[in-house]
Amino acid sequence: MLIGPLDADGAAAGEPDAGAGAAAAGGRPAARREAGRERQSGLDESAGRAETERFRPLSLVVPRTGERLVVAALPFPSERRLGTLFSADPAAEAMQDAYDRRVRALLQGMAGAFRPDAVNVVLTHLFVAGGETSDSEQPIQLGGAYTVRPESFPVAHYVALGHLHRPQWVAGAPAPVRYAGAPLQLGFSEAGFAKSATVLELRPGAPVPAPEGRPGAGGGQVKEVFLSSGRPLVRWRAEGGLAPVWRRIERGDDPTAWIELELALPSGADLPGEEEIRRLRAARPGIVGIRFAIAPVGPAAGAVRLRELPWDERFRRFYREKTGAEPGEELVKLFLAYLNELETEEDGDAAASAGI
């Protein structure tokens, strides 16, 4: 919950002037960068104070207990939302450092509203370095420019994070930091994930972070409540054909689940026909996806590493695995032509950057 508009009003400070940094550093590249960082740090603090006016923490009193809660709530802080360019340097490391500094300044500025007689909580949507991801998440440049270091958070009773679907604590922060995770499995890469809700009992006063980022006895108690509602996502794998699948259906395995079925077949084996697949889906409507894994046969199976094969053979193997059929020669030639075009463009870019 936020008070104040989310759009930018131009109050955020700009980036450091490269010429001033160069003059201060005597023209040396390393010194210029260091001078720029020092000046940028001051600008980040100023920008953080200005942005805090737009993202003012919410302070409220809990009627039942009379205790006060202060929530520093921050939606995903992109350049567009904050109305500022984090760094004029497009290098990944420079972007990462600039983003982390700006978010740190913003959160620290918001934490200025925290009170010793209140429960102080940070609520935000960020990717924190070291978080464990899954395939079902929409990337926000994971591990890249939009990443925040754990130590950038302010001291608080609790930091509640959104974005990652797997429940997890974040170590290395000055406060208990946790992704509660998504309440449902949002993709088959999350098959087997336990979903939960995090319930905290916090009291006003200084929080006492415990090891691994968990709240200590002085800061409150935490309980993970596992969720069982919703239909689970599971993966079935069958070797050699549909017979093992029919046995699982007859046994009533995973009766409430949505199922992704993988059929592992030897190279050259006949694929199930459309009528057979139709009967299978009618018998178990929970099967929402079927894919085929075509394995090589013989003593040489698995002996050759994929990277050692020529590109045309790699493409043929990929096509067989995904479709269960052999690609036509014209399709293989088209793939090789496209690959050659990409390599030519990359060589040209490298030559241009080297001044060739």
Side-chain angles (χ1 to χ4, degrees):
M1 184 179 295
L2 295 175
I3 299 177
L6 299 183
D7 57 321
D9 59 11
E15 295 303 312
D17 178 68
R28 295 187 301 275
R32 284 202 306 272
R33 287 194 296 271
E34 185 59 31
R37 287 194 189 98
E38 292 177 0
R39 186 162 182 263
Q40 181 64 48
S41 177
L43 290 171
D44 287 335
E45 292 179 6
S46 175
R49 288 192 294 270
E51 288 158 355
T52 300
E53 291 301 312
R54 302 205 302 276
F55 300 104
R56 287 177 305 209
L58 174 68
S59 179
L60 56 88
V61 175
V62 180
R64 185 174 61 85
T65 64
E67 295 170 325
R68 182 171 295 278
L69 172 67
V70 179
V71 181
L74 178 67
F76 173 58
S78 63
E79 289 181 329
R80 178 179 180 182
R81 172 158 282 154
L82 298 183
T84 184
L85 178 67
F86 295 135
S87 174
D89 187 344
E93 182 179 358
M95 288 289 292
Q96 162 63 55
D97 289 342
Y99 183 75
D100 180 74
R101 287 195 307 268
R102 181 57 56 84
V103 173
R104 177 199 291 258
L106 179 54
L107 291 174
Q108 296 291 344
M110 297 174 75
F114 287 168
R115 300 168 45 147
D117 62 342
V119 171
N120 303 304
V121 174
V122 176
L123 178 65
T124 185
H125 188 113
L126 293 171
F127 178 69
V128 182
E132 189 173 356
T133 65
S134 62
D135 294 342
S136 56
E137 279 123 19
Q138 181 70 24
I140 48 173
Q141 298 184 347
L142 297 183
Y146 287 162
T147 304
V148 176
R149 298 180 178 91
E151 58 269 24
S152 294
F153 289 101
V155 174
H157 284 86
Y158 185 69
V159 178
L161 296 180
H163 181 60
L164 300 186
H165 297 165
R166 186 191 294 266
Q168 57 192 283
W169 292 97
V170 175
V177 178
R178 180 170 173 80
Y179 288 98
L184 298 172
Q185 295 167 334
L186 300 178
F188 283 98
S189 65
E190 297 183 30
F193 281 18
K195 297 298 183 175
S196 64
T198 302
V199 180
L200 297 117
E201 181 182 343
L202 302 173
R203 300 184 301 275
V208 182
E212 301 299 324
R214 293 169 176 81
Q221 301 298 322
V222 61
K223 180 170 63 173
E224 187 173 14
V225 179
F226 290 95
L227 306 176
S228 58
S229 59
R231 299 183 66 169
L233 305 181
V234 301
R235 280 174 165 163
W236 286 3
R237 178 179 171 85
E239 303 278 349
L242 291 177
V245 182
W246 283 112
R247 286 195 292 270
R248 298 193 70 162
I249 292 174
E250 290 167 1
R251 286 198 306 264
D253 291 358
D254 303 310
T256 64
W258 299 114
I259 301 164
E260 182 184 69
L261 173 62
E262 180 181 279
L263 292 176
L265 301 171
S267 182
D270 293 333
L271 298 178
E274 290 185 13
E275 181 59 32
E276 204 170 3
I277 295 296
R278 192 177 296 111
R279 287 196 304 110
L280 187 72
R281 289 184 182 276
R284 189 58 189 274
I287 297 176
V288 295
I290 300 176
R291 59 192 184 95
F292 301 98
I294 310 300
V297 294
V304 180
R305 298 174 66 183
L306 187 61
R307 70 180 63 177
E308 298 172 353
L309 295 174
W311 276 108
D312 59 337
E313 181 57 28
R314 294 192 209 183
F315 177 73
R316 288 187 175 93
R317 290 194 176 195
F318 173 81
Y319 192 89
R320 283 197 298 267
E321 178 182 339
K322 296 299 181 183
T323 69
E326 289 290 336
E329 286 304 313
E330 288 300 320
L331 183 59
V332 175
K333 290 179 182 178
L334 182 62
F335 169 75
L336 293 176
Y338 177 66
L339 185 65
N340 182 64
E341 182 180 334
L342 288 179
E343 291 176 345
T344 301
E345 290 177 356
E346 289 176 358
D347 291 343
D349 292 342
S353 63
I356 299 175

